[in-house]
Amino acid sequence: KIYASVLSITLLYGVVHWKNIEFPLAYIRSFILMQCVTVFVITAYYSIQKYLDTTKIFKVLGTVNLFLLLLSLIVLPIPFLSDFMWYKIPISPGIPVIPRLKMFTYEASYYSLIIVPVFAYYFFKVWLDGMRIGAIFTSLSVSLILSFSLGVIGGLALAFIILFLTHATILSQKVKWNFVFTGVLTVICSLCLLYIFYPDNPLYQRIENIFSGKDTSARGRTYEAFTLAIDIAKMKSSIWGIGLGQLKELGRDYIIQFYQYSKIPETVRIPNVVAETINIFGISGLVIRFTLIFSLFFKTKVWHNYYRLFLFIFMFIYQFTGSFIFNVAEYIIWCLAFNPTVLRCFDKDRLKKEVVEY
């Protein structure tokens, strides 16, 4: 039933788009891909709900990541092996190439997005269940840092701040303030020492580039993505968009002229899923996207579980700074956020009862 409704909507857009489609083969190929992604997401949602013990899966994934992290550090000095696990593309103007951990994915920020659910699980186990900080949680934290994905790291930090401020009465009772004080002091001292002894470090340089508008990655994933999406959508229809699979051909020349590439890329894309939604499906698609997100938020009562609420806040923020419309890693996080059976140990009522009894 769920797939039938998705198929009906995509077929409706297909009928609307078809009369103005310039590249029908690309449209059909992307249409089929969207159906595959839809079937995968539906299957994943119900598999998580009915068959999968998420705690065991997170332990397995965390352990695998730990060993792969050690392997990646071993192969880092070996060029022909390190290319499989480290991303070596310049991250920002004026900053030399810094190896960023990508494991066996195609890009560092994609890898960091994949491990977010596992990191969040261990983060809440340490914070709310009093679990000791072990090798797995440490390795996941190190992996996020080595990925150097400021979008994911910033999204996680902002999601934590919002969650804590909106539920401070309960969550503050679970905080180990000595640990927090030590951690914050360590970070502040490290940043100060970094500024004193290495002021031109890549972290500060990239932050400066972001605020000065020189960071092409940050611009391309945020406001420039929306500018391109809206302008290209207007070529066909602001309401309905340009259709699936049309950007690579229809928007290619526009994007190349917009960025004035010295080296013309083979393919062009809009690295922002909300902007891409506007580009492909127009304003109507954007309305459907957020209607679906908010309706699932209320229907599944996301606020009843701190873990699910944390993932929801993170993903809601991150969708404005990255991802793409066929990104199954993003959909898995949405599936976890909208799944009432996931990690009931972090339910709000259970933790509230524990605090009251304590």
Side-chain angles (χ1 to χ4, degrees), residues 124-173:
F124 278 96
K125 288 292 287 185
V126 170
W127 179 18
L128 300 181
D129 271 4
M131 186 182 77
R132 295 181 61 182
I133 299 175
I136 294 179
F137 176 70
T138 302
S139 67
L140 290 165
S141 302
V142 171
S143 294
L144 283 172
I145 294 171
L146 292 179
S147 74
F148 205 49
S149 176
L150 296 187
V152 172
I153 296 172
L156 287 171
L158 192 56
F160 167 73
I161 292 171
I162 294 172
L163 180 67
F164 185 82
L165 292 179
T166 53
H167 297 81
T169 305
I170 302 298
L171 296 182
S172 60
Q173 303 296 321

Side-chain angles (χ1 to χ4, degrees), residues 209-281:
N209 285 346
I210 290 173
F211 283 104
S212 64
K214 296 179 182 178
D215 191 281
T216 54
S217 177
R219 296 201 324 258
R221 290 173 181 270
T222 51
Y223 63 90
E224 286 184 351
F226 287 95
T227 300
L228 290 170
I230 294 170
D231 289 347
I232 296 172
K234 288 179 180 178
M235 294 180 183
K236 295 296 182 181
S237 170
S238 297
I239 301 298
W240 300 101
I242 63 173
L244 289 163
Q246 304 303 292
L247 176 68
K248 292 179 181 179
E249 300 292 341
L250 187 64
R252 179 178 174 80
D253 291 340
Y254 186 88
I255 293 175
I256 289 173
Q257 291 177 9
F258 183 88
Y259 284 112
Q260 298 181 349
Y261 287 114
S262 56
K263 182 180 179 182
I264 298 177
E266 294 183 7
T267 58
V268 296
R269 64 190 185 95
I270 297 176
N272 181 302
V273 67
V274 175
E276 191 180 16
T277 302
I278 297 173
N279 177 254
I280 297 174
F281 299 112

Side-chain angles (χ1 to χ4, degrees), residues 173-186:
Q173 303 296 321
K174 291 283 186 175
V175 174
K176 299 176 181 178
W177 292 107
N178 291 335
F179 171 74
V180 173
F181 178 77
T182 303
V184 171
L185 187 62
T186 301

Side-chain angles (χ1 to χ4, degrees), residues 7 40 48 51 55-56 64 67 96 102-103 108 112 146 160 168 189 193 195 216 248 263 265 268 297 326 328-329 337:
L7 179 61
F40 170 80
I48 291 170
Y51 306 113
T55 57
K56 292 180 181 178
V64 170
F67 285 106
K102 67 168 186 173
M103 287 303 183
S112 61
L146 292 179
F160 167 73
C189 290
L193 291 173
Y195 179 78
T216 54
K248 292 179 181 179
K263 182 180 179 182
V268 296
F297 175 83
F326 294 144
V328 293

